[in-house]
Amino acid sequence: MAFYLGQRLRATRELLGMTQEQVIEQLEIRYDITISQQTLSTIENGKRKVDAEKELPAFAGVYGKTIDYFYETLELPTIPPPIPKRKSAITVDLDALTHRDKLELAAELIHKVLQET
């Protein structure tokens, strides 16, 4: 299954625990880019292209990633069958994450569990 940029943007936003409103606010404050929540939603759903010269660098800056991060692979990684889910305040589209994203997420979760024990 080939990914699209919007999927990667949404997965990265969710991985960082950011809302669409927070992203929109940061785009405007830091990069003077004004988009609506509907526009961001259409980008994340692959129904609108991202401006490669203005918007993509701004998204990368807001998310703290390099531009090439969003193009590391043309295919989404294949993941094993899902483990039964526990209730969580955050949901992440694992299909849109790179292998590195998954490792970072796992390390963060392990760190939090170790802090709680």
Side-chain angles (χ1 to χ4, degrees), residues 1 3 13 15 20 22 43 46 49 58 68 74 77 80 90 92-93 95 97 99 115:
M1 170 180 153
F3 84 96
R13 175 180 59 78
L15 180 66
Q20 288 182 334
Q22 290 170 322
I43 289 170
K49 302 284 183 195
D68 66 331
L74 296 178
I90 299 173
V92 176
D93 180 6
D95 289 337
L97 298 178
H99 183 67
Q115 284 181 328

Side-chain angles (χ1 to χ4, degrees), residues 9 15 17 20 24 26 35 40 50 61 91 98 104 112:
L9 290 169
L15 180 66
Q20 288 182 334
I24 291 165
Q26 288 300 309
I35 63 172
L40 181 53
V50 175
T91 59
T98 64
E104 288 174 2
K112 286 184 181 198

Side-chain angles (χ1 to χ4, degrees), residues 111-117:
H111 179 73
K112 286 184 181 198
V113 168
L114 291 175
Q115 284 181 328
E116 293 174 1
T117 57

Side-chain angles (χ1 to χ4, degrees), residues 24 33 38 57:
I24 291 165
I33 293 175
Q38 181 180 3

